[in-house]
Amino acid sequence: MANGVNVSAALSFAVIFHLLVVSSTASVVEERSIYLILMEGEPVAFHGNVLPSQNGRRFDPNSEASKDHAKKLVDSHDQVLQSTLDKGSYNKLYSFKHVLNGFAVHTTPSQAKKLQHAPGVKLVEGDRRTKVMTTYSPQFLGLPQTVWTQEGGDGNAGDGIVIGFVDTGINPLHPSFAYDMLNPFRSNISHFSGACETGPQFPPISCNGKIVSSRFFIAGAQALAPLNATIDIPSPADAVGHGSHVASTAAGNARVPVVVNGFYYGQASGMAPRARVAVYKAVYPTVGTLADVVAAIDQAVADGVDILTLSIGPDEPPQDTVTFLGFFDIAMLFARRAGVFVVQAAGNLGPGPSTVLSYSPWSVGAAASRTDRRYFSSLLLGNGLNISGVGLSAPTFGIGSLLYKLVLAKDAINLSGTFPRTPQYVEECQYPEAFDPSVVRGSIVICTFSAGFYNEISTLTAIIDTARVLGFMGFVLVANPSYGDFIGQPIPYSVSGTLITKVEDAKIISQYYEQQTLRDARGFVTQFNATAAIRDGRFASFGGQAPIVSRFSSRGPDFIDINQNPADVLKPDILAPGHEIWAAWSPLSVLDPILTGYNFALISGSSMAAPHVAGIAALIKQKYPSWTPSMIASAMSTTATKFDNNGGVIMAEGFDVGSLNAANSFDFGAGFVNPGHAMDPGLVLSSEFEDYISFLCSMPDIDRKAIRAATGVWCSQSLGHPANLNIPSVTISALRRSLTVRRSFKNVATKPETYVGLAVPPNGTTVTLHPSWFTIAPDGTQALDIEINVTQSTNEFSFGEIILTGSLSHIVRMPVSIRPVSIV
């Protein structure tokens, strides 16, 4: 018996010990993440044995030499993984081989740490999540009257150029991407060799000659989260709408009718309506990963796109390296090295300083502005007052002239209902069951912006659904003094409605309502006497002040690290329309239910500004096929304007709703893009891959081994100071005493021209140009030394410019941004 007891006790102890070990082990099980790895050795595009192809591309990925080298790279990636990581501990997602040599792997942090010390591995970076960031903008930019006319009209503008879009996919059946059999493409795009991947909601006929390639990259998204195939469609099809909007803004067909809810809003045209579209879907409704985006960039460059549009990207800077050396920026650097013009959205985190998400001088960061088009709706009160509102809705029955009972949501609550008395039920019109149907049917109901909207729980979609279920004649969402003014976008409503975004206007409505409403001693309404009508909000008005930098548009100064230490690079680069842009949409609209069923959407963001720049770049590339990306960027930058349509300085929206301040270079870069002038810039500045390496090597306190790891190039030459990079701006983040920087110009005009220089110095400095004037022959080059001296230590950025005025009417502008920190 005693022995039996001891054995039992021993067994019990063993079981308990085993459970403790299992529990302890389970508690430290590592979750897998995605890691991006750069390897030693050149990718296919820059491999020494790969000769440039004969049709203008930097390399031919389909040559036997390219295929052989690509296979060797993939094999080397597999070998590193197999020899370094534990079997079963990882899943390789991609091999990058065209413009980057590396791979993406899904594994644990401890396994990733092993890779850091593996032979041939240069860099290991954790994946960062990625996210997404026109009927009238072509007219506002003057394209039909200038550039399109020069290029043979909209039937030729952009012909022969392929624009690649790394985004949420495309709506292949949209008329913006239809093939016109009566106007077939005649241009040669033999430099492009994409492929048409098909799948759910993306049949083979989708690649129709306008859409010349379609691919999707989903391995990263699949590794990070369970995907819903109904929205995370495994094909190039766009379930979001964002990718379709971006692609049509840059390259959508000309004169496509925009019809929403049966109303005709005008015609939509892309900036380069005859450019071809190449689709690289890499962001999904459930999740977006950097691995998918980098794989898409790698493939797009290999396919031969001329322009790469990135209205997506990481939503934060890299954590443990300088911004310029993050994996995303290195991918853009090598795309640029391969001859691709890269434009990215500057970000939507404004108006605070250093909110840009575009960091590097080798990509063009686009800021967003308003155009001079405005949509206004209004609420007509029974006393004759007309209160301005926002909303693309039809008027209430009677063309907005018949008045209907006006009811405050709080006064129409079903008192016997069992629902919770929260703002969503009581005042925000989110739930039909909260109301007494006999009170609200046929009435205009006042809903109030309250906690639910402030916390982003409540939606306009829910108000519209409530209005439709209960038979509202219309709805009004009014500002709440407790939360202040709010920002309203003109979204199409399927029922009559308007947003009253200002507290002062909401008070006027409230005062009228209370004067007309009879209540008993308990405060309950005994008679509704207030009346109102909602006026038509679908007609645009033109001629407003524009451009204006949009409130959301991210601002400079650019910065080099997570601590936001300023960089000697101007960001954003340029300003383009990005506010209330009509363009193609996906009827699925899985992230914006209010737009479900629509083929067009009027939306805002720097995502909308980037494709404007991409389309204009395509027009320039079409006219000057030999120009490098930096020459194209320079042409847009030096011809941009700082003035609005009234001749005043461009303004920028501030933190307070409705506030405007004079914009500066950290708001709009070089200024608002001017396509007509960009087609004839006179002078251009140029920088190539080696210059960017020298720029990196000139940065103070940078780890040169990190540059070698990220770029594969040792620092053999420095610019002396980063501000010597030959870009069309001068930014010095910490000027002590004095500095002379140099810029080199090339004359791309057909005649000799004499230029006279003028320097407008930033506060606390003097700026002297050497030489002060010069004559330059066609294809000639001219160096300009810019001597900057500190006269007062302000320790703040201020702004000036350098203006070169040519004898043949060319004007070349360069913004100057200086922070003087010491006079000694």
Side-chain angles (χ1 to χ4, degrees):
M1 292 290 295
N3 287 341
V5 170
N6 289 337
V7 170
S8 176
L11 287 173
S12 298
F13 176 78
V15 170
I16 292 170
F17 178 76
H18 175 73
L19 291 173
L20 287 172
V21 170
V22 171
S23 175
S24 175
T25 302
S27 68
V28 295
V29 168
E30 294 181 292
E31 289 190 9
R32 291 191 181 192
S33 299
I34 297 175
Y35 295 89
L36 306 171
I37 287 80
L38 273 181
M39 298 288 294
E40 294 280 359
E42 293 280 26
V44 172
F46 315 116
H47 184 55
N49 295 327
V50 177
L51 298 176
S53 64
Q54 300 303 309
N55 53 15
R57 292 178 59 178
R58 294 292 297 268
F59 72 104
D60 180 1
N62 297 314
S63 70
E64 289 303 317
S66 293
K67 290 179 180 179
D68 181 63
H69 187 60
K71 184 179 184 303
K72 289 180 180 178
L73 294 179
V74 174
D75 290 344
S76 70
H77 303 161
D78 294 337
Q79 178 61 35
V80 166
L81 287 167
Q82 292 167 9
S83 62
T84 306
L85 304 188
D86 297 339
K87 186 176 181 180
S89 68
Y90 68 90
N91 177 31
K92 189 183 80 168
L93 305 177
Y94 297 106
S95 273
F96 312 129
K97 51 190 180 293
H98 298 115
V99 293
L100 293 165
N101 175 17
F103 55 89
V105 62
H106 189 222
T107 190
T108 63
S110 60
Q111 294 292 309
K113 193 172 183 179
K114 292 181 181 180
L115 283 171
Q116 292 178 342
H117 307 289
V121 171
K122 298 190 301 179
L123 176 66
V124 177
E125 181 179 310
D127 194 293
R128 288 174 283 154
R129 300 289 180 95
T130 59
K131 65 178 182 180
V132 297
M133 289 215 240
T134 56
T135 59
Y136 183 61
S137 47
Q139 283 74 17
F140 185 62
L141 291 168
L143 288 169
Q145 299 80 21
T146 56
V147 179
W148 287 357
T149 301
Q150 296 170 23
E151 299 303 319
D154 58 34
N156 189 55
D159 201 8
I161 305 300
V162 180
I163 306 180
F165 300 91
V166 178
D167 217 290
T168 64
I170 200 167
N171 176 1
L173 303 180
H174 198 282
S176 290
F177 312 116
Y179 180 77
D180 184 0
M181 291 186 292
L182 299 179
N183 184 23
F185 291 102
R186 296 182 175 86
S187 57
N188 183 345
I189 58 167
S190 59
H191 67 285
F192 183 79
S193 60
C196 189
E197 296 179 358
T198 60
Q201 303 192 41
F202 205 88
I205 60 170
S206 300
C207 291
N208 56 7
K210 173 66 173 179
I211 300 175
V212 293
S213 181
S214 59
R215 302 180 187 268
F216 67 102
F217 302 82
I218 198 171
Q222 289 175 328
L224 279 194
L227 301 185
N228 180 346
T230 61
I231 61 173
D232 301 304
I233 303 172
S235 82
D238 183 10
V240 175
H242 186 273
S244 303
H245 198 283
V246 169
S248 65
T249 300
N253 290 328
R255 302 184 305 279
V256 176
V258 177
V259 179
V260 177
N261 288 331
F263 187 82
Y264 174 69
Y265 284 93
Q267 295 181 335
S269 296
M271 300 296 101
R274 290 289 281 179
R276 315 292 183 91
V277 172
V279 181
Y280 301 87
K281 180 177 175 179
V283 179
Y284 295 82
T286 297
V287 68
T289 70
L290 195 53
D292 290 335
V293 168
V294 171
I297 294 172
D298 190 55
Q299 186 61 58
V301 178
D303 287 347
V305 300
D306 300 291
I307 315 289
L308 189 59
T309 308
L310 299 169
S311 285
I312 50 87
D315 55 5
E316 62 180 4
Q319 299 293 313
D320 50 8
T321 187
V322 297
T323 51
F324 306 129
L325 298 182
F327 216 100
F328 184 62
D329 281 70
I330 292 302
M332 291 189 290
L333 171 62
F334 284 104
R336 167 65 188 85
R337 185 184 183 188
V340 177
F341 180 93
V342 181
V343 58
Q344 62 178 143
N348 297 337
L349 303 176
S354 289
T355 49
V356 289
L357 296 174
S358 172
Y359 312 114
S360 300
W362 45 82
S363 67
V364 175
S369 78
R370 289 182 175 273
T371 68
D372 68 343
R373 180 183 59 194
R374 304 286 191 273
Y375 287 97
F376 299 106
S377 66
S378 64
L379 181 71
L380 175 64
L381 299 177
N383 61 4
L385 290 177
N386 201 47
I387 309 299
S388 295
V390 178
L392 299 178
S393 83
T396 47
F397 184 76
I399 322 177
S401 59
L402 296 179
L403 299 178
Y404 296 89
K405 181 173 64 175
L406 189 62
V407 176
L408 182 66
K410 288 181 179 180
D411 292 333
I413 294 300
N414 182 358
L415 298 178
S416 61
T418 58
F419 54 86
R421 265 49 178 180
T422 62
Q424 292 98 310
Y425 283 88
V426 174
E427 56 186 339
E428 293 185 339
C429 306
Q430 299 293 291
Y431 300 98
E433 60 267 30
F435 292 98
D436 181 343
S438 64
V439 176
V440 297
R441 185 176 294 112
S443 302
I444 295 176
V445 179
I446 302 172
C447 314
T448 304
F449 184 104
S450 192
F453 282 102
Y454 184 79
N455 295 320
E456 299 183 354
I457 299 171
S458 298
T459 66
L460 280 173
T461 304
I463 294 181
I464 292 170
D465 290 343
T466 299
R468 187 181 296 109
V469 168
L470 296 178
F472 291 8
M473 180 55 64
F475 74 88
V476 184
L477 178 64
V478 300
N480 186 335
S482 299
Y483 295 96
D485 298 347
F486 68 92
I487 297 173
Q489 296 292 330
I491 299 171
Y493 307 144
S494 55
V495 300
S496 293
T498 188
L499 312 181
I500 306 299
T501 62
K502 297 180 179 180
V503 169
E504 290 304 312
D505 290 337
K507 288 180 178 178
I508 293 172
I509 297 171
S510 177
Q511 183 178 20
Y512 164 73
Y513 177 80
E514 291 301 332
Q515 288 173 346
Q516 299 296 316
T517 302
L518 303 181
R519 300 179 184 274
D520 61 20
R522 298 173 301 170
F524 295 130
V525 175
T526 58
Q527 190 170 345
F528 293 98
N529 292 326
T531 57
I534 296 173
R535 295 286 182 86
D536 201 322
R538 299 170 298 180
F539 291 94
S541 63
F542 300 93
Q545 182 181 4
I548 296 173
V549 182
S550 301
R551 182 179 187 271
F552 57 78
S553 188
S554 289
R555 314 298 167 91
D558 192 10
F559 53 94
I560 61 174
D561 55 31
I562 194 69
N563 297 319
Q564 296 189 337
N565 290 306
D568 297 296
V569 174
L570 179 62
K571 289 290 176 177
D573 292 274
I574 202 158
L575 184 68
H579 199 114
E580 298 176 7
I581 305 299
W582 277 116
W585 198 248
S586 167
L588 295 176
S589 193
V590 298
L591 297 182
D592 292 285
I594 199 169
L595 300 176
T596 300
Y598 296 158
N599 277 312
F600 291 91
L602 183 77
I603 59 175
S604 303
S606 60
S607 284
M608 284 61 257
H612 279 87
V613 175
I616 294 166
L619 298 176
I620 299 173
K621 180 73 173 178
Q622 180 188 18
K623 185 173 182 178
Y624 305 105
S626 65
W627 280 18
T628 66
S630 61
M631 294 169 72
I632 296 172
S634 171
M636 283 192 274
S637 178
T638 60
T639 58
T641 180
K642 299 196 308 178
F643 302 102
D644 64 20
N645 54 359
N646 296 324
V649 296
I650 292 175
M651 304 298 284
E653 294 180 331
F655 281 101
D656 296 331
V657 177
S659 63
L660 293 177
N661 308 292
N664 59 50
S665 295
F666 290 163
D667 300 318
F668 56 45
F672 189 69
V673 65
N674 185 326
H677 288 172
M679 300 295 284
D680 182 24
L683 304 177
V684 296
L685 301 93
S686 181
S687 296
E688 300 305 321
F689 176 75
E690 295 76 13
D691 301 307
Y692 298 130
I693 299 299
S694 298
F695 157 78
L696 292 170
C697 296
S698 304
M699 293 173 59
D701 305 321
I702 194 170
D703 182 355
R704 295 196 166 195
K705 291 182 179 178
I707 298 174
R708 168 71 174 84
T711 67
V713 181
W714 287 108
C715 285
S716 60
Q717 187 172 351
S718 168
L719 298 177
H721 190 283
N724 277 310
L725 181 63
N726 200 47
I727 55 178
S729 60
V730 176
T731 303
I732 303 175
S733 59
L735 179 61
R736 293 174 175 82
R737 190 176 178 180
S738 67
L739 180 68
T740 298
V741 298
R742 172 167 289 190
R743 291 294 182 269
S744 179
F745 299 90
K746 180 179 180 178
N747 184 3
V748 292
T750 58
K751 297 179 180 179
E753 191 163 5
T754 298
Y755 284 87
V756 176
L758 170 68
V760 180
N763 293 337
T765 70
T766 61
V767 178
T768 307
L769 305 180
H770 306 282
S772 59
W773 66 274
F774 56 85
T775 299
I776 185 169
D779 292 324
T781 59
Q782 173 68 49
L784 179 69
D785 288 330
I786 305 165
E787 181 186 349
I788 308 166
N789 290 278
V790 177
T791 59
Q792 182 182 0
S793 176
T794 65
N795 205 33
E796 293 182 350
F797 273 105
S798 59
F799 308 94
E801 62 182 332
I802 293 167
I803 305 171
L804 303 178
T805 303
S807 56
L808 300 179
S809 301
H810 291 112
I811 297 177
V812 178
R813 288 185 52 255
M814 289 198 308
V816 178
S817 312
I818 308 290
R819 184 168 71 99
V821 297
S822 173
I823 60 175
V824 294

